[in-house]
Amino acid sequence: MSPGFALREAHAHIYQAGRALNMVDLAACESVEEVLEALGACEARSGAVLAHGARPESWVEQRWPSADEIESVARGRVLVAWCFDYHALIASRAALRAAGIDERTPDPPGGIIERDDQGRLTGVVCESAALRVWESLPEPDAAERQRCVQAGVRALVENHGFVEIHDLKAQRWLGGVLRSVVNELDGAVHVRIWPLLEDLDEVLETRRTWESEHVRLGGAKIFVDGTLNSRTAWMLYDYADGREDHPRGIAMMTPREIEEAVRRCDAAGVPLAAHAIGDAAVRAVLDAIERVGPSGSGFRIEHCELVDETDVPRLAELGVIASVQPCHLLYDMEALARGVPDRLDRVLPLRELIESGLKPGEGLIFGSDVPIVRADPEDSVLAAVERRRGDGPGPPPIAPSQAISREQAWECFRSTVGV
Ligand SMILES: [Zn+2]
């Protein structure tokens, strides 16, 4: 039941969402056996079996398939299956070979090539090593890119009724492709793109050629920390089950670098969107914005999964937008309960953020992070209101005192274009 006004998806990855529509979706699998069945049944389009949505933690066996199991369904083909959070994947031998990875290959900086106790590759690769495998696949040509972007936009418009979409890690070429895709939709949708800060100059240079009322540059994106599931989100306190080398997760940027990013964006006349999931990352971004005091507005923190009590009022004070995806709570409940059991009250403090002065739909905005999770806005409304999955058994609600009303939750999806 939608609210009767135009909706905005404030955090999407359009191209990947379109591309994912052509991949095997493992989200509904409940066991390694089901995963192998789904992968084995795939008629590899373009010669490779591609899948996404794997959640090994939620499978009966609570493990990835073994290298031999992967091979039994890959049957010599290139097979790559992403973990839902896009920070790890499993790859068949042919896929590893194509990426130049064998048993003697050392872990790349910021990546892990998993091996068993005998040093044999398990097929699981993480972070930068996963990207290396992914990037060694044949890159879709321009026509295929266009099809993916088109499918991604159409799914958001037609399945969920969004009239405004923000892409939060836009490829350098996305603006140009969106121009024609959006034209075909007769102006039914407005897209705002946020390329990586390192791509900003290039995008600014081409801006004239693609920008219109409907497709616009939103600002630039940086990553300040990692993710909750990989325990790389940067926290103020140790995780209960953290990584030995990084008990509080990983700061991907120094305070100085964050400040520099704020300054660069402000000089370019665009806001910054900072990916910050852990409470230490959120604080670091607020500190940087406070120190620089940008003259422009619209600076955003993406995710804000944990926010320390003392930092809550700072967003409204500094004019920073909280761009949140409550729907992740539905998937992350177990991971949160294991990782930050003593800080659960700091998870998505939506009520406090509103009480501190963030206006739903303006200072507090919702999105999904599709294709990491599905884009259905009802999921975020459910998470924001109930703080747990729907009825029935399941873990208890997370920080129920931070619940907001259905009306407030929908308001966070209200589009502000054309008003
Ligand atoms: Zn994202």
Side-chain angles (χ1 to χ4, degrees):
M1 186 200 63
S2 64
F5 49 75
L7 301 181
R8 169 189 51 221
E9 159 62 81
H11 190 125
H13 302 282
I14 295 172
Y15 172 59
Q16 289 92 331
R19 215 172 162 193
L21 293 173
N22 283 327
M23 296 192 215
V24 180
D25 186 357
L26 302 175
C29 293
E30 290 178 359
S31 63
V32 169
E33 199 181 329
E34 282 180 34
V35 167
L36 294 172
E37 202 174 307
L39 293 172
C42 174
E43 309 249 356
R45 282 173 239 229
S46 66
V49 178
L50 304 179
H52 71 118
R55 283 184 180 273
E57 286 197 4
S58 74
W59 300 337
V60 183
E61 302 86 347
Q62 301 214 358
R63 63 164 176 88
W64 286 102
S66 68
D68 287 337
E69 285 169 333
I70 298 168
E71 220 41 51
S72 72
V73 291
R75 301 186 296 272
R77 300 176 294 181
V78 168
L79 179 152
V80 170
W82 278 106
C83 182
F84 74 99
D85 69 2
Y86 289 88
H87 286 257
L89 55 76
I90 47 171
S92 65
R93 292 195 182 112
L96 292 169
R97 223 175 7 252
I101 293 175
D102 64 26
E103 284 165 4
R104 288 167 319 238
T105 312
D107 287 352
I112 298 165
I113 301 167
E114 208 184 86
R115 297 152 224 263
D116 65 18
D117 7 337
Q118 271 121 60
R120 287 174 311 211
L121 300 176
T122 64
V124 178
V125 288
C126 308
E127 306 291 348
S128 73
L131 276 182
R132 175 159 155 194
V133 171
W134 184 244
E135 280 161 7
S136 71
L137 296 171
E139 187 40 34
D141 59 17
E144 178 63 13
R145 276 183 186 172
Q146 170 114 8
R147 270 196 296 278
C148 291
V149 170
Q150 198 168 36
V153 171
R154 273 187 183 276
L156 287 167
V157 172
E158 289 164 11
N159 301 345
H160 305 298
F162 291 112
V163 303
E164 180 184 351
I165 305 168
H166 295 199
D167 189 296
L168 263 295
K169 193 182 152 194
Q171 296 76 11
R172 287 183 296 251
W173 45 263
L174 188 65
V177 172
L178 276 170
R179 186 189 159 92
S180 59
V181 165
V182 167
N183 273 343
E184 280 165 32
L185 286 165
D186 276 336
V189 62
H190 293 247
V191 186
R192 301 288 175 256
I193 66 170
W194 299 70
L196 290 175
L197 182 60
E198 65 214 54
D199 294 333
L200 180 64
D201 285 339
E202 194 178 324
V203 173
L204 285 170
E205 263 169 46
T206 64
R207 192 177 185 181
R208 282 176 298 112
T209 63
W210 52 263
E211 215 167 22
S212 70
E213 187 206 334
H214 287 92
V215 182
R216 254 194 233 153
L217 179 63
K221 167 102 184 263
I222 56 170
F223 284 82
V224 176
D225 66 351
T227 69
L228 192 72
N229 263 277
S230 58
R231 301 292 187 261
T232 51
W234 179 23
M235 299 291 180
L236 292 169
Y237 302 92
D238 288 2
Y239 286 97
D241 59 352
R243 308 164 77 100
E244 226 166 85
D245 45 344
H246 298 287
R248 294 183 183 182
I250 296 180
M252 311 239 283
M253 295 175 76
T254 64
R256 223 201 153 86
E257 285 168 336
I258 305 168
E259 254 182 74
E260 201 39 56
V262 173
R263 246 183 233 112
R264 235 185 106 194
C265 280
D266 205 37
V270 296
L272 177 74
H275 164 117
I277 291 180
D279 44 13
V282 170
R283 178 172 294 175
V285 175
L286 292 169
D287 287 348
I289 292 174
E290 187 170 73
R291 277 197 300 268
V292 174
S295 53
S297 61
F299 283 63
R300 298 171 35 163
I301 301 182
E302 303 300 316
H303 309 308
C304 300
E305 192 130 348
L306 266 77
V307 186
D308 189 72
E309 210 165 349
T310 55
D311 292 320
V312 166
R314 300 178 70 203
L315 282 102
E317 277 161 27
L318 294 166
V320 174
I321 296 168
S323 169
V324 180
Q325 304 77 38
C327 49
H328 283 270
L329 188 79
L330 306 179
Y331 301 90
D332 290 349
M333 295 183 80
E334 289 83 1
L336 284 163
R338 274 198 307 272
V340 290
D342 304 329
R343 303 273 292 158
L344 287 177
D345 58 325
R346 302 317 313 155
V347 173
L348 300 179
L350 302 176
R351 210 180 98 185
E352 285 176 15
L353 287 169
I354 292 175
E355 283 171 358
S356 78
L358 294 187
K359 202 167 163 228
E362 292 175 18
L364 177 64
I365 61 178
F366 284 176
S368 69
D369 211 356
V370 63
I372 307 280
V373 301
R374 61 181 194 169
D376 191 340
E378 296 271 8
D379 289 351
S380 275
V381 173
L382 173 72
V385 174
E386 304 290 344
R387 310 286 304 190
R388 57 171 293 186
R389 299 180 193 122
D391 299 333
I398 303 249
S401 66
Q402 297 291 354
I404 59 175
S405 72
R406 275 187 80 79
E407 290 69 29
Q408 286 173 317
W410 276 115
E411 203 57 39
C412 294
F413 279 109
R414 186 194 282 268
S415 169
T416 48
V417 293
V419 294

